[in-house]
Amino acid sequence: SHPNLVKTHLYGLKPTSSNPMAASPAASFVADQGGMDMWMVQEWCDGGTLREYCTVPKLGGAGILEACEIALEISRGIAYLHGRNIIHGD
């Protein structure tokens, strides 16, 4: 567990099928694994996405400091994963 990462509760692989979920927004959680679909159950985060947050301009020094803090938090999370030989997909 790390404060800069979304907690994953369960994950697994199942044989690829032509199921209706593949065309839904939930498909972002499905990755083709050579005939297998990967699924994950992660904690609910209702603060919005980083992309949505970053579309609002933040001018001045406070905005630059905030951007640096976000970059540092992302770096800490990725370093934690890499230190455990986990590769992050996006």
Side-chain angles (χ1 to χ4, degrees):
S1 179
H2 190 275
N4 301 117
L5 298 173
V6 175
K7 182 179 262 183
T8 298
H9 299 288
L10 297 169
Y11 62 92
L13 294 172
K14 66 177 187 135
T16 301
S17 65
S18 59
N19 89 37
M21 187 176 113
S24 74
S28 64
F29 293 108
V30 178
D32 181 25
Q33 300 294 314
M36 301 293 283
D37 287 334
M38 176 180 268
W39 58 269
M40 293 185 282
V41 176
Q42 296 182 310
E43 73 177 300
W44 179 258
C45 299
D46 62 358
T49 67
L50 180 59
R51 179 182 304 248
E52 292 167 343
Y53 185 77
C54 290
T55 59
V56 178
K58 294 164 183 70
L59 305 174
I64 293 170
L65 290 175
E66 185 176 19
C68 290
E69 183 61 33
I70 291 170
L72 184 58
E73 290 173 0
I74 292 169
S75 299
R76 287 177 177 149
I78 296 297
Y80 175 85
L81 293 175
H82 288 184
R84 282 149 186 78
N85 296 319
I86 298 171
I87 299 170
H88 191 270
D90 64 347

